[in-house]
Amino acid sequence: MSSEGFLKEVQAIAEKFLLKLQKLPKAEPVEIVSFTVVLLFIVTVLVLTIIACSCCCYSCCGCDGRPDPRHRKSQVGPAAL
């Protein structure tokens, strides 16, 4: 997919989202609850992704951005008989 197609797709999704937000005050309670559940799910996935990426980066590189020598993987060779 080209970048222009991707941008148009994102813009279409954003427009649908804004339209849904504008209609939300007039919506039925079931629709409001379902919209809230979907929104909470999306936010939870994004937050967990950010936490996972930051923990992975922290354990690999530490705060200063340099690799931590304690977390190096050691290579194991064949055992001598």
Side-chain angles (χ1 to χ4, degrees):
M1 179 184 282
S2 67
S3 61
E4 289 180 16
F6 179 73
L7 289 176
K8 286 182 182 179
E9 188 71 28
V10 169
Q11 185 178 8
I13 292 172
E15 287 174 1
K16 288 179 186 177
F17 183 74
L18 288 175
L19 183 64
K20 188 64 120 175
L21 280 177
Q22 289 172 351
K23 291 182 179 181
L24 203 56
K26 302 171 195 166
E28 296 179 15
V30 173
E31 192 174 356
I32 293 172
V33 169
S34 63
F35 183 77
T36 305
V37 167
V38 169
L39 196 61
L40 283 174
F41 176 76
I42 292 170
V43 168
T44 303
V45 168
L46 289 174
V47 167
L48 289 176
T49 303
I50 291 170
I51 290 172
C53 288
S54 64
C55 288
C56 178
C57 222
Y58 179 76
S59 68
C60 176
C61 299
C63 290
D64 55 1
R66 292 180 299 183
D68 191 359
R70 293 178 292 169
H71 289 107
R72 280 193 195 144
K73 294 180 180 177
S74 60
Q75 294 184 354
V76 178
L81 295 174

